[in-house]
Amino acid sequence: MDRAPRSVSRDSFASTLGAFTATVGSAIGLGNIWKFPYLTGRDGGAAFVLTYLLAVALVALPVMVVEHAIGRRMRLDAVRAYGKVVPGQPWWSLVGWAGFASAVLIMAFYTDVAGWVFAYVAKSTVAAAQGQTLGADTFGALAGGTWEPLLWQAGVLVLVTAIIAAGVSGGIEKATKLLMPVLFLLLVVCVVRALTLPGAMAGVDYLFRPDLSKLSGTVLLSALGLAFFKLSLGMGTMTTYGSYLPDRVRIVPNAARVALADTAISLLAGLAIFPALFAFGGTPAGGPGLLFVTIPLVFSKMPLGGLFTIVFFVLASIATIGAMVSIAEVPVAWLVEKGRVRRPVAAALTGGAMFALGITATLSQSPVLADVKVFGKTLFDLYDFASSNVLLPVGGLAIAIVGGWLVSRSDFLAELAKGAGGVPWYGRAILFFVRWVAPVFIVLILLSSLGLLGG
Ligand code: TRP
């Protein structure tokens, strides 16, 4: 890190975001309420949850610290930050370029799912107006359709593009800040409802009593990939946000709080879904539709359930927006700062690319492209796998190597010292995790998922 911090006036999105809410707003999204429960159900319940928690603490948290430190030190978009952070080694900008690719891949399926969430707001409102609850076939008809999911996806992308083009207004930020606690409370309501159903304890066991025989290289990689995906790591999002962090923010406590808040929301979503699922005799391996089938079911059994369903999906839609904006911000920041493209144009270009690939993800859920399989996966699953389980962990590995080994130790610790009035006591411990623990785990998990470690 040869570059002294300088104060640049970056665009409005950056300067108006509070450090904690910005990062939490990026972290909390579909990963918590959709992906975490669905992968837990698919990949072995509590054994998966346990691995996931370890991956967050041992691997993801150190990587987040590095991303924030490098971002704030460099005060540049991710591509240029990694290209310049190690003097004489410009090729690390590849980390930022891979982030570009990940951003488009992730948004291709993320906006499909976000479209379902928005559609559920409309559908649950219509159902409630007619005094009904959502039918069990709602999800299959929506996700398996052709034009309907595409239109919702396009709508989502137009909204995200518009928000980015305008810069994030104080209104949206304030709304998110206010609504996150409401999302939290509503999840607690769901959890209480789910836990008081007869037979709910089977779901709690499923989440928290690990059967370690379920662990395999594939499961480990899936948990690691989720840890990166959840905390928006490995592709430059947190580097970009780090570049917007004020100097008085203490990076490690901030990152730890983000990880805790995010994990709490995921566990609550799990506690809302699995007990209810077991109580109603559903199957945990329900796949991507799990959230959309279970939540309306949980609420349908309680007074004002229709209203709660609407509120739940409204809050979920809001949570997706902060996450999507943060994903798209990686290419947009580069286009604006380096490419000197105007912000609205950058947003439109990014949104267009995301929609082009997104169409293929969405249609792979419908008969149109359902038969197209690459490595035995539908395109939707392929984009998810390629980003979460390949690009993000490999990106995270590169980031840990840069932060732990190539950047000077004193520069790294100096960044942690800001706001703390000196190098904090945990500085060396974090450095040890960045140098050894995170990279070693990532490499071992990648190897074992390839079947290279035997068994
Ligand atoms: N963390 C978000 C979620 O859980 C998704 C997300 C936002 C993301 N920014 C990212 C994932 C960057 C990977 C990389 O929904």
Side-chain angles (χ1 to χ4, degrees):
M1 296 195 202
D2 56 344
R3 204 188 161 88
R6 64 192 169 101
S7 56
V8 257
S9 70
R10 318 279 303 272
D11 66 62
S12 57
F13 174 68
S15 49
T16 54
L17 286 176
F20 179 69
T21 34
T23 25
V24 164
S26 163
I28 293 181
L30 290 170
N32 308 65
I33 52 180
W34 166 71
K35 202 173 187 194
F36 170 81
Y38 133 60
L39 291 185
T40 300
R42 192 192 70 185
D43 289 343
F48 177 84
V49 175
L50 184 67
T51 322
Y52 169 69
L53 295 178
L54 289 175
V56 168
L58 303 179
V59 182
L61 193 57
V63 171
M64 189 188 294
V65 168
V66 176
E67 288 210 38
H68 283 171
I70 290 181
R72 185 164 74 181
R73 187 79 177 183
M74 304 307 289
R75 301 256 184 233
L76 290 170
D77 64 87
V79 173
R80 286 187 300 156
Y82 288 104
K84 296 187 176 180
V85 69
V86 189
Q89 302 191 7
W91 53 81
W92 292 107
S93 65
L94 260 177
V95 174
W97 290 118
F100 251 66
S102 316
V104 176
L105 276 174
I106 291 173
M107 285 292 271
F109 69 90
Y110 204 97
T111 51
D112 184 21
V113 182
W116 302 340
V117 173
F118 280 76
Y120 262 61
V121 173
K123 287 178 190 294
S124 55
T125 309
V126 171
Q130 296 169 345
Q132 292 168 351
T133 48
L134 290 176
D137 54 350
T138 311
F139 178 73
L142 170 66
T146 303
W147 293 107
E148 196 187 356
L150 279 181
L151 282 174
W152 284 109
Q153 182 179 34
V156 164
L157 271 165
V158 168
L159 181 67
V160 171
T161 306
I163 292 173
I164 294 183
V168 175
S169 71
I172 293 224
E173 274 178 54
K174 273 192 207 124
T176 318
K177 236 182 259 180
L178 198 81
L179 290 166
M180 283 297 170
V182 185
L183 176 66
F184 178 81
L185 284 179
L186 204 73
L187 270 175
V188 172
V189 172
C190 292
V191 171
V192 171
R193 170 69 279 199
L195 286 180
T196 48
L197 290 164
M201 278 309 137
V204 178
D205 273 4
Y206 183 79
L207 262 184
F208 294 119
R209 188 168 300 172
D211 168 3
L212 295 182
S213 70
K214 296 253 170 73
L215 290 181
S216 67
T218 327
V219 170
L220 294 180
L221 181 61
S222 153
L224 180 73
L226 179 64
F228 278 103
F229 183 89
K230 268 309 320 117
L231 295 174
S232 310
L233 297 170
M235 58 157 276
T237 287
M238 285 301 175
T239 313
T240 311
Y241 276 26
S243 77
Y244 304 152
L245 283 184
D247 276 344
R248 63 179 177 283
V249 172
R250 289 179 302 148
I251 285 178
V252 176
N254 182 59
R257 276 193 288 263
V258 171
L260 274 178
D262 184 75
T263 305
I265 298 274
S266 297
L267 291 176
L268 282 176
L271 276 174
I273 288 180
F274 288 104
L277 195 74
F278 279 84
F280 295 131
T283 143
L290 188 61
L291 167 80
F292 298 91
V293 175
T294 317
I295 287 295
L297 201 60
V298 177
F299 283 130
S300 72
K301 309 281 171 191
M302 61 191 278
L304 294 181
L307 184 67
F308 277 119
T309 310
I310 302 172
V311 178
F312 182 90
F313 284 104
V314 167
L315 293 169
S317 338
I318 292 166
T320 67
I321 294 177
M324 290 190 289
V325 165
S326 80
I327 301 174
E329 184 64 13
V330 171
V332 168
W334 181 83
L335 283 168
V336 170
E337 292 183 19
K338 172 75 182 179
R340 306 216 179 281
V341 176
R342 280 178 35 244
R343 196 167 175 87
V345 178
L349 285 174
T350 311
M354 288 166 173
F355 189 53
L357 198 67
I359 293 175
T360 64
T362 301
L363 293 184
S364 76
Q365 310 264 321
S366 83
V368 185
L369 289 180
D371 294 334
V372 179
K373 297 262 167 78
V374 183
F375 304 121
K377 295 180 191 307
T378 62
L379 294 176
F380 182 101
D381 289 338
L382 180 75
Y383 301 158
D384 185 1
F385 186 89
S387 50
S388 290
N389 295 12
V390 182
L391 288 171
L392 301 183
V394 172
L397 177 62
I399 290 169
I401 291 172
V402 169
W405 297 96
L406 302 178
V407 150
S408 90
R409 179 194 172 86
S410 56
D411 279 350
F412 181 76
L413 291 176
E415 207 52 54
L416 301 196
K418 284 187 186 161
V423 176
W425 57 269
Y426 48 72
R428 283 159 181 272
I430 288 284
L431 194 59
F432 175 77
F433 273 78
V434 171
R435 285 194 163 177
W436 294 103
V437 182
V440 168
F441 271 106
I442 296 173
V443 169
L444 287 180
I445 291 176
L446 286 173
L447 292 180
S448 84
S449 76
L450 293 173
L452 294 182
L453 296 184

